[in-house]
């Protein structure tokens, strides 16, 4: 899944250019701040203030969305991932900023795996700023309550430039189970905004089809719990006879094991009902 993150600076030209960028970069989901306008339809959700939005750019459907309208953030479940789009005004008080983060933490604590991204207008050395200001401290303290949230920002590439001054205020956090399959980069292409676009890619493992060969088992020392869990999140539709259901379930679990572990030495097998030695 390819996720584009961008503050549009409430600019019509920037939002028009976004539509072209989404096509050229094959974007699946856009996490937006300060959009020029909200789009109609079920592929777009926005917060109460109209300053944070999520746009599903491909044919995927929103599986779930927050039913309570918040100001400053909105979330939606897409392809099994809960995506939060956030925007914090630079002018709000530190108390209001802390309250916003409290609401985000409360919502995010109920959902996993999670991406929390947006323009927080906060500085901290943890994401490359020269100093850590009070907003940066409050943000770090708030998200630390979620235990497994990990900052994806790396390096010191600025995400915001205006009047010759630059800063890093567009941030991306992911839960631990997504961290191993996530990559993030600050893009250099033109956005017509004073913010750079950020591309986060989730390289979700794909289920392998059976080749007619089996292994003597999997190397459990290479087990990747995050990949295994992600594979099991897919729905396994059991239908047909009891024997057919066993075959479908066996293939489903075997695919998850293939994605999460390397194989030991292969050997020819003759029974499709065998998953691992001793397990059927």
């Amino acid at each position: 899944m390819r996720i584009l993150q961008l503050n549009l600076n409430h600019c019509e030209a920037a939002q028009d250019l976004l539509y072209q960028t989404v096509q050229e970069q094959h974007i699946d989901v856009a996490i937006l701040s300060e959009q020029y306008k909200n789009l109609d339809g079920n592929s777009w959700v926005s917060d109460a203030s109209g300053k944070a939005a999520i746009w599903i750019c491909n044919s995927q459907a929103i599986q779930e969305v927050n039913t309570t309208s918040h100001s400053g953030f909105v979330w939606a479940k897409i392809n099994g991932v809960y995506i939060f789009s956030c925007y914090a005004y630079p002018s709000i008080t530190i108390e209001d900023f802390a309250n916003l983060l409290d609401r985000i933490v409360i919502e995010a604590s109920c959902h996993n795996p999670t991406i929390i991204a947006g323009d927080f207008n906060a500085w901290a050395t943890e994401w490359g700023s020269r100093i850590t200001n009070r907003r940066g401290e409050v943000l770090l303290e708030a998200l630390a309550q979620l235990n497994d949230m990990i900052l994806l920002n790396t390096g010191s590439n600025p995400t915001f430039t205006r009047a010759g001054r630059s800063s890093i205020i567009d941030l991306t956090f992911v839960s631990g189970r997504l961290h191993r399959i996530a990559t993030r980069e600050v893009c250099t292409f033109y956005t017509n905004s004073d913010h750079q676009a950020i591309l986060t890619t989730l390289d979700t493992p794909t289920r392998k089809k059976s080749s007619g060969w089996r292994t003597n088992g999997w190397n459990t020392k290479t087990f990747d719990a995050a990949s295994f869990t992600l594979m099991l999140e897919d729905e396994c539709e059991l239908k047909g006879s009891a024997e057919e259901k066993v075959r479908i379930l066996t293939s489903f679990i075997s695919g998850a094991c293939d994605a999460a572990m390397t194989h030991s030495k292969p050997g020819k097998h003759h029974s499709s009902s065998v998953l691992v030695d001793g397990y059927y």
Side-chain angles (χ1 to χ4, degrees), residues 248-276:
I248 293 172
L249 183 60
T250 296
S251 177
F252 180 77
I253 299 177
S254 180
C257 292
D258 285 345
M261 294 177 280
T262 60
H263 291 272
S264 55
K265 293 181 180 180
K268 189 70 176 178
H269 80 85
H270 303 284
S271 173
S272 63
S273 63
V274 178
L275 173 60
V276 187

Side-chain angles (χ1 to χ4, degrees), residues 2 16 42 53-54 68 90 150 171 234 237 262:
R2 291 170 62 82
D16 288 342
N42 296 326
I54 298 171
T68 303
I150 300 172
L171 311 176
D234 291 345
E237 184 179 354
T262 60

Side-chain angles (χ1 to χ4, degrees), residues 180 217-226 257 259-264:
R180 291 186 180 183
W218 284 268
N219 182 358
T220 56
K221 293 181 180 180
T222 65
F223 180 69
D224 183 349
C257 292
M261 294 177 280
T262 60
H263 291 272
S264 55

Side-chain angles (χ1 to χ4, degrees), residues 41-235:
N42 296 326
S43 64
W44 184 286
V45 293
S46 174
D47 77 319
S49 70
K51 294 294 184 179
I54 298 171
W55 177 29
I56 317 310
C57 312
N58 60 17
S59 58
Q60 295 185 77
I62 295 177
Q63 298 167 304
E64 187 180 349
V65 66
N66 56 319
T67 55
T68 303
S69 182
H70 295 280
S71 180
F73 76 96
V74 63
W75 65 259
K77 182 182 179 182
I78 304 150
N79 198 24
V81 178
Y82 292 89
I83 298 177
F84 283 66
S85 175
C86 311
Y87 177 73
Y89 287 91
S91 58
I92 62 173
T93 65
I94 195 67
E95 290 79 12
D96 288 339
F97 183 64
N99 289 335
L100 168 61
L101 294 174
D102 285 343
R103 295 194 301 273
I104 293 173
V105 167
I106 290 171
E107 290 283 349
S109 63
C110 303
H111 305 97
N112 200 6
T114 307
I115 297 174
I116 299 176
D119 179 359
F120 291 90
N121 282 298
W123 288 21
T125 55
E126 280 78 357
W127 50 79
S129 303
R130 291 182 294 102
I131 62 170
T132 300
N133 63 7
R134 181 56 183 150
R135 284 172 68 122
E137 293 174 351
V138 171
L139 176 57
L140 289 169
E141 291 169 1
L143 293 190
Q145 300 175 60
L146 295 174
N147 296 321
D148 72 337
M149 293 304 295
I150 300 172
L151 178 69
L152 276 187
N153 291 59
T154 58
S156 57
N157 293 331
T159 65
F160 169 81
T161 304
R162 179 181 292 170
R165 303 181 65 180
S166 61
S167 59
I168 304 170
I169 52 179
D170 301 282
L171 311 176
T172 312
F173 298 85
V174 299
S175 53
R177 59 191 293 190
L178 296 179
H179 183 248
R180 291 186 180 183
I181 61 171
T183 57
R184 179 188 187 273
E185 64 175 311
V186 178
C187 303
T188 58
F189 55 75
Y190 183 65
T191 66
N192 207 70
S193 170
D194 47 18
H195 290 254
Q196 294 300 117
I198 297 161
L199 177 63
T200 298
T201 303
L202 299 182
D203 186 18
T204 307
T206 56
R207 183 170 288 107
K208 299 178 182 178
K209 295 183 179 179
S210 174
S211 61
W213 287 78
R214 67 161 299 216
T215 68
N216 295 322
W218 284 268
N219 182 358
T220 56
K221 293 181 180 180
T222 65
F223 180 69
D224 183 349
S227 296
F228 187 74
T229 303
L230 280 172
M231 296 303 292
L232 291 185
E233 285 184 347
D234 291 345
E235 292 185 6

